[in-house]
Amino acid sequence: MGLCSSKLNAEGNYDPSPFTIFMATSSKAKFAQQDYQAKYTGTRPILVVCTDDGLMKMANGKVFNTGNHPVEMFVPMLHFRDAGFKFDIATASGKPVVLEMWAYPTADERVKGLHDEVRQMMEKPKRLQDIKNLDAYSAIFIPGGHGCMLNLPSSVALGKLLNIAHARALPTVTLCHGPSVFLATCVEGTGQAECAYKGYKTMCFTDKTDAFTPSIGYLPGPMPWKVEECITEKGVTVVNKKESGAVTSDRELITGDSPDAADNLGKLAAPLLVKYAADNRL
């Protein structure tokens, strides 16, 4: 196996190639600390919805070692914390959060510090179906990473919560492969036949890039399904054609295109969350 081939790990699954690890990860995350003049002073945390599944079976049968991307999770949360917010963490089954540890910024003390702060919640998260409404929350944040594609887009419980958030314009933040969860809003059992975000604009990790990455060993094979294609079919408009760290907002939806968008997403979203909370007396 060469530098551009996915690496078989001890569990029999595949990590990204050494070339990909070198090019696409860093020991320190890109994070520009902001001085947020207006901060949240209320008591409602942000609901952080994570994946508890880290094994993605590719179209060729090989299994990718995935989860939530740690930079996509913790960097926006650093901005939210600095703007005064606290967190509540949930997964589909209530099992622990799974991270793509091969992407962990091991020399980043800010990320490691925040990880330590929320570690207990990550190890014993709430179960989505036990959260009946969003009355106790100030926003929803769904980190990316291929792992969020595994059981969240088919989660009736998540779909119902996203529909509630949509109905009250509660800020909903996600990035990279996170927009896959838009599909949950219209799965059978939610009572909705149409995607809540039909007509919305979003950033998303592109199918074009997902199709390319097996050639450099980031993925061990072709994708089992395509996020951009599927959400487009539901009427959502993906505005980016490539990944550049870009972010956008459309009504309550605040999105970024890739791990490189994590810092920009936090900087965009944090003041919007503070404003929404102030305007709605949360």
Side-chain angles (χ1 to χ4, degrees):
M1 298 177 67
L3 291 175
C4 293
S5 297
S6 298
K7 185 179 178 182
L8 188 66
N9 61 33
E11 288 73 40
N13 308 312
Y14 287 85
D15 294 331
S17 66
F19 174 78
T20 301
I21 295 292
F22 176 76
M23 294 297 295
T25 67
S26 174
S27 62
K28 290 188 176 182
K30 298 176 183 176
F31 171 70
Q33 189 166 16
Q34 305 295 296
D35 181 15
Y36 294 109
Q37 297 300 311
K39 294 188 178 184
Y40 179 61
T41 57
T43 59
R44 299 187 188 189
I46 295 171
L47 177 61
V48 183
V49 179
C50 297
T51 186
D52 52 19
D53 192 344
L55 299 176
M56 173 178 273
K57 188 174 182 180
M58 312 307 291
N60 62 359
K62 292 182 178 180
V63 178
F64 179 45
N65 178 28
T66 183
N68 283 127
H69 194 293
V71 171
E72 294 178 29
M73 180 173 177
F74 292 123
V75 169
M77 289 175 68
L78 283 169
H79 284 288
F80 301 153
R81 184 192 65 181
D82 289 350
F85 292 96
K86 296 186 182 299
F87 309 104
D88 207 359
I89 295 176
T91 62
S93 69
K95 293 179 181 178
V97 176
V98 178
L99 293 178
E100 294 177 328
M101 292 306 295
W102 46 262
Y104 198 87
T106 53
D108 196 311
E109 296 305 319
R110 291 169 299 197
V111 166
K112 291 163 69 176
L114 178 58
H115 190 181
D116 286 339
E117 288 179 28
V118 300
R119 188 181 300 275
Q120 186 173 358
M121 284 190 286
M122 292 176 64
E123 292 175 350
K124 295 182 178 180
K126 291 185 175 180
R127 187 173 60 162
L128 281 172
Q129 68 184 65
D130 293 333
I131 303 172
K132 302 304 181 183
N133 59 60
L134 295 170
D135 294 348
Y137 296 104
S138 56
I140 296 180
F141 172 48
I142 304 169
H146 286 83
C148 67
M149 297 173 57
L150 297 175
N151 60 15
L152 294 179
S154 60
S155 169
V156 174
L158 177 58
K160 289 180 176 180
L161 291 175
L162 289 174
N163 283 324
I164 293 171
H166 173 65
R168 65 178 62 170
L170 189 76
T172 303
V173 186
T174 190
L175 71 166
C176 201
H177 292 86
S180 63
V181 303
F182 300 166
L183 301 172
T185 63
C186 54
V187 295
E188 185 176 358
T190 59
Q192 301 295 321
E194 188 172 87
C195 178
Y197 306 106
K198 181 179 180 180
Y200 278 62
K201 294 179 180 178
T202 186
M203 294 287 176
C204 178
F205 200 83
T206 61
D207 292 345
K208 178 181 178 181
T209 303
D210 264 335
F212 166 74
T213 56
S215 68
I216 56 171
Y218 183 85
L219 299 175
M223 291 287 287
W225 59 279
K226 301 174 181 178
V227 174
E228 182 184 5
E229 178 182 281
C230 287
I231 64 174
T232 299
E233 289 175 351
K234 295 297 184 182
V236 184
T237 299
V238 176
V239 296
N240 58 299
K241 303 300 181 185
K242 61 181 181 179
E243 292 71 37
S244 63
V247 295
T248 193
S249 63
D250 186 355
R251 288 157 279 186
E252 78 273 15
L253 200 59
I254 310 165
T255 57
D257 67 13
S258 64
D260 284 341
D263 187 45
N264 291 333
L265 184 68
K267 289 188 287 187
L268 172 64
L272 295 177
L273 270 58
V274 171
K275 184 178 187 305
Y276 178 88
D279 290 347
N280 291 274
R281 299 181 179 180
L282 300 184

